[in-house]
Short mmCIF file of all heavy atoms in Angstrom, two decimals:
data_model
loop_
_atom_site.label_atom_id
_atom_site.label_comp_id
_atom_site.label_asym_id
_atom_site.label_seq_id
_atom_site.Cartn_x
_atom_site.Cartn_y
_atom_site.Cartn_z
N LEU A 295 57.69 39.74 110.59
CA LEU A 295 57.78 38.84 111.71
C LEU A 295 58.80 39.36 112.72
O LEU A 295 58.60 39.30 113.95
CB LEU A 295 58.16 37.43 111.25
CG LEU A 295 57.97 36.25 112.28
CD1 LEU A 295 56.46 36.16 112.74
CD2 LEU A 295 58.45 34.97 111.67
N GLY A 296 59.89 39.91 112.17
CA GLY A 296 60.91 40.49 113.04
C GLY A 296 60.55 41.85 113.56
O GLY A 296 61.01 42.24 114.64
N ASP A 297 59.80 42.56 112.78
CA ASP A 297 59.41 43.97 113.17
C ASP A 297 57.86 44.09 112.87
O ASP A 297 57.45 44.48 111.80
CB ASP A 297 60.21 44.99 112.33
CG ASP A 297 59.82 46.42 112.75
OD1 ASP A 297 58.92 46.61 113.61
OD2 ASP A 297 60.47 47.35 112.12
N PRO A 298 57.03 43.82 113.93
CA PRO A 298 55.55 43.85 113.67
C PRO A 298 55.04 45.18 113.20
O PRO A 298 53.95 45.20 112.60
CB PRO A 298 55.04 43.57 115.11
CG PRO A 298 56.15 42.80 115.80
CD PRO A 298 57.43 43.38 115.25
N SER A 299 55.77 46.27 113.31
CA SER A 299 55.27 47.47 112.75
C SER A 299 55.21 47.53 111.29
O SER A 299 54.52 48.33 110.62
CB SER A 299 56.22 48.64 113.21
OG SER A 299 57.48 48.59 112.62
N LEU A 300 55.91 46.59 110.60
CA LEU A 300 55.86 46.49 109.14
C LEU A 300 54.71 45.66 108.65
O LEU A 300 54.39 45.62 107.44
CB LEU A 300 57.12 45.82 108.63
CG LEU A 300 58.45 46.57 108.94
CD1 LEU A 300 59.63 45.70 108.51
CD2 LEU A 300 58.47 47.91 108.27
N ALA A 301 53.97 44.95 109.56
CA ALA A 301 52.82 44.12 109.20
C ALA A 301 51.62 44.95 108.76
O ALA A 301 51.44 46.13 109.25
CB ALA A 301 52.46 43.22 110.37
N GLU A 302 50.83 44.35 107.93
CA GLU A 302 49.57 45.06 107.52
C GLU A 302 48.61 45.08 108.74
O GLU A 302 48.55 44.08 109.53
CB GLU A 302 48.81 44.28 106.43
CG GLU A 302 49.62 44.34 105.08
CD GLU A 302 49.47 45.68 104.47
OE1 GLU A 302 48.48 46.39 104.64
OE2 GLU A 302 50.40 46.08 103.70
N PRO A 303 47.89 46.21 108.91
CA PRO A 303 47.00 46.34 110.04
C PRO A 303 46.00 45.15 110.07
O PRO A 303 45.43 44.78 109.06
CB PRO A 303 46.29 47.65 109.83
CG PRO A 303 47.25 48.46 109.00
CD PRO A 303 47.95 47.46 108.11
N GLY A 304 45.76 44.64 111.27
CA GLY A 304 44.76 43.57 111.39
C GLY A 304 45.23 42.19 111.08
O GLY A 304 44.45 41.26 110.96
N THR A 305 46.49 42.03 110.75
CA THR A 305 47.01 40.74 110.39
C THR A 305 48.00 40.26 111.49
O THR A 305 48.64 41.02 112.23
CB THR A 305 47.76 40.77 109.08
OG1 THR A 305 48.96 41.67 109.17
CG2 THR A 305 46.92 41.24 107.93
N ASP A 306 48.14 38.92 111.57
CA ASP A 306 49.05 38.29 112.50
C ASP A 306 50.29 37.98 111.70
O ASP A 306 50.28 37.16 110.78
CB ASP A 306 48.40 37.04 113.13
CG ASP A 306 49.33 36.38 114.12
OD1 ASP A 306 50.57 36.60 114.10
OD2 ASP A 306 48.82 35.60 114.97
N PRO A 307 51.43 38.62 112.07
CA PRO A 307 52.67 38.34 111.29
C PRO A 307 53.08 36.83 111.18
O PRO A 307 53.57 36.46 110.15
CB PRO A 307 53.72 39.15 112.01
CG PRO A 307 52.96 40.24 112.67
CD PRO A 307 51.69 39.59 113.10
N ALA A 308 52.79 36.14 112.23
CA ALA A 308 53.12 34.69 112.24
C ALA A 308 52.26 33.93 111.21
O ALA A 308 52.80 33.08 110.46
CB ALA A 308 52.96 34.12 113.61
N ASP A 309 51.02 34.26 111.16
CA ASP A 309 50.09 33.59 110.16
C ASP A 309 50.50 33.97 108.73
O ASP A 309 50.48 33.12 107.83
CB ASP A 309 48.69 34.00 110.46
CG ASP A 309 48.12 33.39 111.69
OD1 ASP A 309 48.72 32.39 112.20
OD2 ASP A 309 47.07 33.88 112.24
N VAL A 310 50.82 35.25 108.53
CA VAL A 310 51.22 35.71 107.17
C VAL A 310 52.46 35.07 106.74
O VAL A 310 52.64 34.60 105.59
CB VAL A 310 51.37 37.29 107.19
CG1 VAL A 310 51.91 37.76 105.83
CG2 VAL A 310 50.05 37.98 107.48
N TYR A 311 53.44 34.96 107.62
CA TYR A 311 54.68 34.33 107.32
C TYR A 311 54.52 32.80 107.06
O TYR A 311 55.03 32.31 106.06
CB TYR A 311 55.69 34.43 108.47
CG TYR A 311 56.97 33.68 108.17
CD1 TYR A 311 57.97 34.24 107.34
CD2 TYR A 311 57.30 32.52 108.79
CE1 TYR A 311 59.14 33.61 107.02
CE2 TYR A 311 58.44 31.81 108.45
CZ TYR A 311 59.39 32.35 107.58
OH TYR A 311 60.52 31.66 107.33
N SER A 312 53.62 32.15 107.79
CA SER A 312 53.38 30.72 107.56
C SER A 312 52.77 30.49 106.13
O SER A 312 53.23 29.58 105.47
CB SER A 312 52.44 30.18 108.60
OG SER A 312 52.14 28.82 108.38
N ALA A 313 51.82 31.35 105.79
CA ALA A 313 51.20 31.24 104.46
C ALA A 313 52.18 31.53 103.39
O ALA A 313 52.21 30.85 102.34
CB ALA A 313 50.00 32.18 104.38
N ALA A 314 53.03 32.55 103.56
CA ALA A 314 54.04 32.93 102.59
C ALA A 314 55.04 31.84 102.37
O ALA A 314 55.51 31.53 101.23
CB ALA A 314 54.70 34.28 102.96
N LEU A 315 55.50 31.22 103.47
CA LEU A 315 56.42 30.07 103.42
C LEU A 315 55.84 28.95 102.66
O LEU A 315 56.49 28.33 101.81
CB LEU A 315 56.83 29.69 104.84
CG LEU A 315 57.81 28.51 104.89
CD1 LEU A 315 59.09 28.82 104.15
CD2 LEU A 315 58.06 28.16 106.37
N ASP A 316 54.57 28.62 102.94
CA ASP A 316 53.90 27.48 102.25
C ASP A 316 53.86 27.76 100.73
O ASP A 316 54.07 26.82 99.98
CB ASP A 316 52.48 27.28 102.76
CG ASP A 316 52.49 26.69 104.15
OD1 ASP A 316 53.55 26.14 104.57
OD2 ASP A 316 51.43 26.76 104.82
N ARG A 317 53.53 29.00 100.37
CA ARG A 317 53.48 29.36 98.95
C ARG A 317 54.87 29.35 98.30
O ARG A 317 55.05 28.86 97.18
CB ARG A 317 52.81 30.74 98.74
CG ARG A 317 52.86 31.32 97.31
CD ARG A 317 52.24 30.37 96.32
NE ARG A 317 50.81 30.09 96.61
CZ ARG A 317 49.81 30.80 96.01
NH1 ARG A 317 50.09 31.77 95.19
NH2 ARG A 317 48.55 30.49 96.27
N TRP A 318 55.83 29.74 99.02
CA TRP A 318 57.24 29.71 98.51
C TRP A 318 57.70 28.31 98.26
O TRP A 318 58.30 28.00 97.21
CB TRP A 318 58.13 30.40 99.57
CG TRP A 318 59.60 30.51 99.10
CD1 TRP A 318 60.10 31.43 98.21
CD2 TRP A 318 60.70 29.74 99.58
NE1 TRP A 318 61.45 31.22 98.09
CE2 TRP A 318 61.85 30.22 98.97
CE3 TRP A 318 60.79 28.70 100.50
CZ2 TRP A 318 63.09 29.59 99.16
CZ3 TRP A 318 62.01 28.15 100.70
CH2 TRP A 318 63.19 28.56 100.09
#
């Protein structure tokens, strides 16, 4: 989320973080 270059191609870092936070 802080560095979009670390995100998986084709993914939205904000969506990935939201899902990861919910799972956490």
Side-chain angles (χ1 to χ4, degrees):
L295 192 61
D297 182 357
S299 68
L300 299 175
E302 291 290 329
T305 63
D306 183 336
D309 290 342
V310 173
Y311 177 77
S312 178
L315 178 60
D316 287 344
R317 174 54 63 94
W318 183 76

